[in-house]
Amino acid sequence: QVKKEYSKVDWFRNKEWSVEIETAFFERLKRSRDKGQHLKIQAYYLSEILPEVSLRLINDNFKLLSNIDLSSAYRNMAQAYITIKNFEKAISSFESALAQEEIYPNSLTDSWISFPYFIVSQELINYYNRAKEVLVKYKKRNNETPIENFKYNACHSLIALENGNKEEAKIIAKN
């Protein structure tokens, strides 16, 4: 069964995890040229279904990640922390992802929109100002995909509403 799941193409895209899969994964990872890339992709695949495993993969193997891989690794960590409801660590991970993107602008993630959306969707009112700062700072990244546009306007509208700007919230929500 492990061999079936470990084809040459997707050996680092497991959606399940066991001792056998982990052993086979690390055997392949040892021979991999791009260890960090494969590690962060595997962590991504597990971040919502097995968040503890995802976090362990990243934390135990952080030294394998190149500087370019770090923003995605932090983004994956944020998702895993959201899944286990550790919101403070999720926020810290999103902040680290954005900081890493400032240093390596060719290594962008969706943190610019996922971070504020997470804050608003969880009604973390104490972080609304930070969410708005992120939205304003990274607005130029919005390439107007329907989901990004929805999240952007939803966040702005709900933050405006929370701040008592009912009319502004209505206008933004109509976009």
Side-chain angles (χ1 to χ4, degrees), residues 46-65:
L46 298 174
S47 65
E48 290 186 45
I49 51 177
L50 294 167
E52 292 87 357
V53 174
S54 178
L55 290 166
R56 183 173 49 82
L57 283 174
I58 294 171
N59 287 323
D60 290 355
N61 299 284
F62 214 76
K63 63 187 174 293
L64 298 178
L65 298 168

Side-chain angles (χ1 to χ4, degrees), residues 13-157:
R13 289 182 166 87
N14 294 291
K15 294 180 181 172
E16 296 175 357
W17 204 251
S18 66
V19 172
E20 294 82 18
I21 293 172
E22 183 169 342
T23 301
F25 172 78
F26 280 108
E27 279 301 313
R28 292 290 299 262
L29 191 67
K30 283 182 198 173
R31 298 189 307 270
S32 168
R33 288 184 190 182
D34 198 354
K35 291 174 179 52
Q37 178 78 357
H38 295 136
L39 183 68
K40 76 175 183 180
I41 291 171
Q42 182 58 74
Y44 166 77
Y45 273 82
L46 298 174
S47 65
E48 290 186 45
I49 51 177
L50 294 167
E52 292 87 357
V53 174
S54 178
L55 290 166
R56 183 173 49 82
L57 283 174
I58 294 171
N59 287 323
D60 290 355
N61 299 284
F62 214 76
K63 63 187 174 293
L64 298 178
L65 298 168
S66 71
N67 290 331
I68 291 174
D69 294 323
L70 288 176
S71 57
S72 293
Y74 285 125
R75 172 61 180 96
N76 293 342
M77 290 173 74
Q79 184 56 56
Y81 284 127
I82 289 168
T83 303
I84 60 175
K85 307 256 186 272
N86 189 333
F87 295 162
E88 290 301 318
K89 285 193 175 184
I91 289 167
S92 176
S93 296
F94 274 126
E95 293 284 12
S96 294
L98 291 170
Q100 196 65 26
E101 291 175 14
E102 289 292 319
I103 299 167
Y104 296 95
N106 290 334
S107 181
L108 302 178
T109 67
D110 71 341
S111 293
W112 77 273
I113 193 67
S114 292
F115 181 31
Y117 190 74
F118 157 69
I119 289 170
V120 170
S121 65
Q122 295 302 316
E123 298 180 8
L124 302 175
I125 296 168
N126 291 340
Y127 292 97
Y128 275 22
N129 286 338
R130 178 62 181 136
K132 187 171 182 177
E133 288 171 10
V134 170
L135 290 169
V136 169
K137 180 174 184 176
Y138 297 105
K139 167 65 173 142
K140 62 184 172 268
R141 285 197 197 169
N142 188 354
N143 62 12
E144 299 298 329
T145 64
I147 190 71
E148 285 180 349
N149 197 41
F150 166 78
K151 287 180 176 181
Y152 184 87
N153 289 325
C155 289
H156 261 297
S157 181

